[in-house]
């Protein structure tokens, strides 16, 4: 057992809002037990929030969905917020996103409603502290795993949140994310899809439709999966014997409307799939609000792998 | 790339940037398991630190790897070479036989009557039929530690409930179609409940976490109310568990 750095109460929850979850990278090596992956639905923004807060890869951040959260600092903190613009204010003043911010003791940090995107990541220098469950603090309510209590509870009013005390102040050289690194979540995205699985079993017409349609993000969308509505896709196979499903898998149930499977998906399932979104495309989809439109773009694994490795190298060093 | 409709097995299908689906069989058979667990073990040692997750199921093994260490093509070549001289895991392998003490009784198995009616067997025959067979674990999923097992005897085949229960108590032993399972945690569920086991199926503090693993063999052993309670079983009747 390694000794954990000292942790301390740093933040009090005044109003929990609809959904705020603690997320580190997620649970791995346990999916064969039926335990889901968890972790940030938008890996990209989560990675930026941690970097800007001066935290190493894998540190736990708060994933704030829709907004509505109000927190008060119980000591001076260095933080960064990346991802969605949820109208966050510090004592009534807009908080700049994608950069380091000082949050002083007693100040209230308030998230409003989505301006752009759906999920914001709040990282605190030092990282949030919580008891790991099966190797991770990623909060999955359905499985009663992770979160600040270790048993999958989302944030509630009056919760007090601990952070690790940073050993040293963060390196002074951390600069804000450059403009080109900040996605405009209002733009309709093109989502990279690696064809695979049962794609050959879809009709020619359906394959044309799949990649030449503006798909609409349905309101049946959560951390398990996002349903897309559009033309009905037809597959010669209606269901399969259940098998493992990877992140970003695009499954098509008999109603012909695809569901993209995200971090909290069930570990096995039995619907035919077109393939899987790239990890960064799954991240991007997780920022889409219901009603937004997306395109699926078939890509080769070589090009997508290059981009993903470049992303990881930039953050993991 | 093997994304087409190839009829030969085993075959590899892309499962994204960091995954391959190895399809070994096309139907559910207990004899599939020693092959799937053998491949799983070979992947574990051949991939080393590049393995992220290995998810076995009825007819497949999903291999998830670290795309920094391996490209999809390199992973595909590795798996293909592991398949060339694959032999099924012998009976001396790691597969275990578990005996799950089970209290079969209407108070904790509210669907015993329904199953008897559907199958034309008596309740005693349903219990005997369910407890006499040794099952294989085909897959874990639905919830942490939830093991899909089979196959049950054909005469015990019984469809799911039309309306799933909102909450099935921990340990409930159930059947649906030709499969059986025991609920590791209280979850919603639509399977027919026959009784309850005192075995602790999932424990986040235990080494390995899940009592049952894919490929394991399982027997449900009828236990009296006293023996069930003595081994830590919860006799709270179904109605009080809602």
């Amino acid at each position: 057992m390694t000794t954990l750095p000292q942790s301390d109460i740093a933040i009090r929850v005044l109003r929990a809002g609809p959904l705020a979850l603690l997320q580190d990278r997620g649970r791995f090596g346990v999916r064969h037990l039926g335990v889901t992956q968890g972790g940030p639905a938008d890996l990209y923004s989560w990675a930026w929030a941690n970097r800007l807060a001066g935290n190493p890869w894998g540190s736990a951040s708060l994933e704030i969905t829709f907004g509505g959260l109000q927190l008060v600092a119980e000591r001076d903190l260095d933080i960064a917020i990346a991802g969605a613009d949820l109208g966050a204010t510090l004592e009534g003043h807009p908080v700049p996103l994608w950069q380091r911010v000082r949050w002083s003791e007693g100040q209230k940090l308030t998230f409003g409603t989505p301006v752009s995107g759906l999920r914001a990541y709040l990282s605190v220098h030092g990282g949030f502290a919580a008891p790991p469950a099966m190797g991770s603090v990623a909060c999955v309510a359905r499985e009663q795993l992770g979160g600040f209590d270790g048993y999958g509870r989302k944030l509630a009013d009056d919760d007090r949140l601990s952070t690790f005390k940073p050993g040293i102040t963060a390196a002074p050289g951390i600069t804000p994310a450059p403009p080109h690194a900040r996605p405009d979540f209002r733009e309709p995205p093109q989502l990279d899809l690696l064809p695979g699985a049962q794609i050959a079993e879809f009709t020619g017409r359906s394959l044309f439709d799949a990649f030449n349609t503006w798909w609409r993000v349905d309101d049946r969308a959560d951390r398990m999966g996002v349903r897309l509505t559009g033309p009905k896709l037809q597959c010669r196979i209606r269901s399969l014997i259940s098998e493992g499903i990877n992140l970003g898998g695009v499954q098509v149930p008999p109603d012909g409307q695809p569901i993209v499977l995200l971090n909290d998906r069930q570990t096995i399932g039995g619907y035919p799939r077109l393939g899987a979104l790239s990890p960064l495309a799954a991240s991007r989809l997780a920022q889409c609000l219901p009603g937004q439109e997306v395109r699926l773009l078939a890509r080769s694994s070589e090009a997508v792998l290059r981009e993903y490795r470049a992303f990881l190298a930039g953050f993991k060093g | 790339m093997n994304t087409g409709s190839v009829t030969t097995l085993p075959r590899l299908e892309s499962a994204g940037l960091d995954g391959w689906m190895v399809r070994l069989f096309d139907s559910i058979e207990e004899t599939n398991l020693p092959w799937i667990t053998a491949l799983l073990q070979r992947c574990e040692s051949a991939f080393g630190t590049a393995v992220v997750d290995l998810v076995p199921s009825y007819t497949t093994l999903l291999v998830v790897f670290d795309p920094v260490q391996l490209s999809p093509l390199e992973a595909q070549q590795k798996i293909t070479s592991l398949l060339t001289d694959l032999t099924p895991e012998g009976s001396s392998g790691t597969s275990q036989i578990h005996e799950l003490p089970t209290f079969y009784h209407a108070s904790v198995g509210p669907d015993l009557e329904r199953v008897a009616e559907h199958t034309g067997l008596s309740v005693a025959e349903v219990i005997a039929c369910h407890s006499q067979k040794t099952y294989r674990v085909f897959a874990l999923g639905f919830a942490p530690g939830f093991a899909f097992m089979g196959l049950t005897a054909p005469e015990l085949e019984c469809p799911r409930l039309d309306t799933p229960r909102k909450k099935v108590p921990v340990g409930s032993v159930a059947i649906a179609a030709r499969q059986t399972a025991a609920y590791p945690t209280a979850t919603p569920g639509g399977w027919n409940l026959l009784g309850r086991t005192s075995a602790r199926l999932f424990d986040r503090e235990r080494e390995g976490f899940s009592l049952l693993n894919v490929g394991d063999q399982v027997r449900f052993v009828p236990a009296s109310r006293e023996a069930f309670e003595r081994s830590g079983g919860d006799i709270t009747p179904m109605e009080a568990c809602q």
Side-chain angles (χ1 to χ4, degrees):
Chain A
M1 290 295 285
T2 50
T3 341
L4 290 173
Q6 208 185 352
S7 65
D8 218 346
I9 300 286
I11 295 167
R12 187 155 55 89
V13 178
L14 298 177
R15 194 176 66 232
L19 185 63
L21 301 170
L22 188 66
Q23 297 294 348
D24 60 11
R25 182 69 184 90
R27 278 184 192 84
F28 296 95
V30 290
R31 250 183 283 171
H32 62 290
L33 305 176
V35 175
T36 197
Q37 174 177 342
D42 176 1
L43 179 72
Y44 177 86
S45 301
W46 168 87
W48 266 107
N50 272 327
R51 172 203 269 190
L52 294 166
N55 293 338
W57 174 265
S59 301
S61 300
L62 260 189
E63 180 182 276
I64 301 143
T65 303
F66 292 116
L69 174 70
Q70 189 175 52
L71 308 167
V72 61
E74 301 208 324
R75 59 180 162 85
D76 291 352
L77 298 165
D78 285 320
I79 62 164
I81 303 170
D85 179 352
L86 301 178
T89 56
L90 201 52
E91 291 294 306
H93 302 289
V95 183
L97 309 179
W98 303 95
Q99 67 177 65
R100 178 91 71 87
V101 174
R102 167 50 68 100
W103 182 12
S104 302
E105 183 178 343
Q107 287 186 324
K108 285 184 190 126
L109 175 63
T110 309
F111 291 82
T113 53
V115 176
S116 158
L118 181 61
R119 297 180 162 94
Y121 293 86
L122 166 64
S123 289
V124 177
H125 180 46
F128 285 105
M134 303 181 78
S136 166
V137 301
C139 186
V140 181
R142 182 181 90 238
E143 296 181 348
Q144 295 164 33
L145 293 172
F148 284 96
D149 71 337
Y151 287 86
R153 197 170 61 86
K154 63 179 189 178
L155 281 204
D157 295 356
D158 296 324
D159 276 0
R160 300 174 92 97
L161 314 181
S162 298
T163 63
F164 292 120
K165 278 189 179 154
I168 44 158
T169 51
I174 295 174
T175 52
H180 67 82
R182 310 174 180 197
D184 181 349
F185 296 123
R186 283 168 295 202
E187 288 285 309
Q190 306 250 8
L191 303 174
D192 293 341
L193 184 150
L194 303 171
Q198 291 73 38
I199 193 161
E201 304 298 330
F202 286 83
T203 63
R205 176 64 211 232
S206 290
L207 288 180
F208 179 85
D209 285 344
F211 297 105
N212 292 280
T213 300
W214 283 104
W215 291 95
R216 186 176 287 271
V217 174
D218 195 66
D219 54 10
R220 286 166 292 175
D222 58 21
R223 287 179 44 87
M224 290 179 77
V226 174
R227 184 176 284 258
L228 304 176
T229 57
K232 179 175 171 156
L233 301 184
Q234 289 183 321
C235 184
R236 285 179 275 269
I237 306 171
R238 288 179 68 80
S239 69
L240 307 166
I241 297 166
S242 280
E243 59 190 38
I245 321 173
N246 210 355
L247 178 75
V250 182
Q251 69 175 20
V252 182
D255 71 359
Q257 303 294 279
I259 300 170
V260 182
L261 297 157
L262 297 184
N263 297 67
D264 290 359
R265 67 194 179 282
Q266 297 218 341
T267 54
I268 59 173
Y271 291 124
R273 293 182 304 278
L274 285 167
L277 295 192
S278 73
L280 292 178
S283 280
R284 181 62 189 82
L285 177 63
Q287 290 291 3
C288 290
L289 289 154
Q292 268 193 291
E293 292 191 317
V294 302
R295 277 295 265 267
L296 301 176
L297 187 66
R299 304 250 346 243
S300 75
S301 63
E302 289 76 14
V304 172
L305 180 65
R306 237 184 347 264
E307 291 161 19
Y308 189 53
R309 282 182 172 174
F311 159 75
L312 291 177
F315 285 92
K316 295 174 86 173
Chain B
M1 201 75 71
N2 286 324
T3 53
S5 170
V6 188
T7 48
T8 51
L9 294 173
R11 69 168 182 267
L12 270 66
E13 296 165 2
S14 168
L17 193 59
D18 59 353
W20 285 103
M21 180 67 72
V22 190
R23 194 170 301 286
L24 290 136
F25 302 98
D26 57 11
S27 63
I28 299 175
E29 306 287 346
E30 288 165 58
T31 48
N32 294 354
L33 274 318
W35 292 91
I36 295 171
T37 50
L39 181 61
L40 187 150
Q41 281 160 21
R42 299 190 79 170
C43 284
E44 246 168 17
S45 37
F47 278 75
T49 59
V51 72
V52 173
D53 266 298
L54 297 166
V55 192
S57 189
Y58 301 87
T59 55
T60 54
L61 177 69
L62 172 64
V63 179
V64 183
F65 55 90
D66 174 3
V68 173
Q69 295 185 54
L70 292 176
S71 71
L73 185 65
E74 289 164 335
Q76 182 188 29
Q77 287 163 348
K78 244 182 204 305
I79 299 166
T80 305
S81 76
L82 296 178
L83 283 168
T84 51
D85 58 348
L86 187 69
T87 50
E89 189 187 43
S91 55
S92 58
T94 54
S95 146
Q96 291 190 36
I97 299 185
H98 304 273
E99 297 197 332
L100 307 186
T102 303
F103 176 41
Y104 292 94
H105 190 269
S107 64
V108 293
D111 299 317
L112 274 170
E113 278 291 346
R114 176 188 128 88
V115 172
E117 230 164 84
H118 181 87
T119 57
L121 304 171
S122 69
V123 166
E125 285 166 338
V126 167
I127 295 168
C129 193
H130 184 258
S131 59
Q132 270 162 16
K133 204 163 180 284
T134 301
Y135 304 107
R136 278 273 192 178
V137 176
F138 290 125
L140 268 68
F142 170 65
F146 187 98
F148 293 86
M149 297 175 253
L151 291 169
T152 58
E155 54 269 35
L156 205 56
E157 184 163 353
C158 193
R160 288 159 190 252
L161 308 181
D162 290 336
T163 311
R165 290 187 172 88
K166 286 203 179 71
K167 193 178 163 201
V168 173
V170 178
S172 292
V173 171
I175 58 168
R178 290 204 45 206
Q179 296 193 65
T180 183
Y183 285 75
T185 47
T187 54
W191 290 31
N192 303 280
L193 310 185
L194 306 183
R196 216 176 275 172
T197 178
S198 54
R200 195 159 168 72
L201 298 154
F202 188 81
D203 182 348
R204 54 193 273 169
E205 307 301 338
R206 176 171 60 199
E207 173 87 28
F209 308 112
S210 177
L211 178 66
L212 308 177
N213 279 284
V214 169
D216 286 357
Q217 300 184 67
V218 179
R219 259 196 305 268
F220 295 90
V221 180
S224 67
R225 181 189 297 267
E226 293 70 31
F228 174 71
E229 269 196 284
R230 245 196 335 272
S231 58
D234 177 9
I235 53 154
T236 313
M238 185 65 203
E239 313 83 67
C241 291
Q242 296 305 311

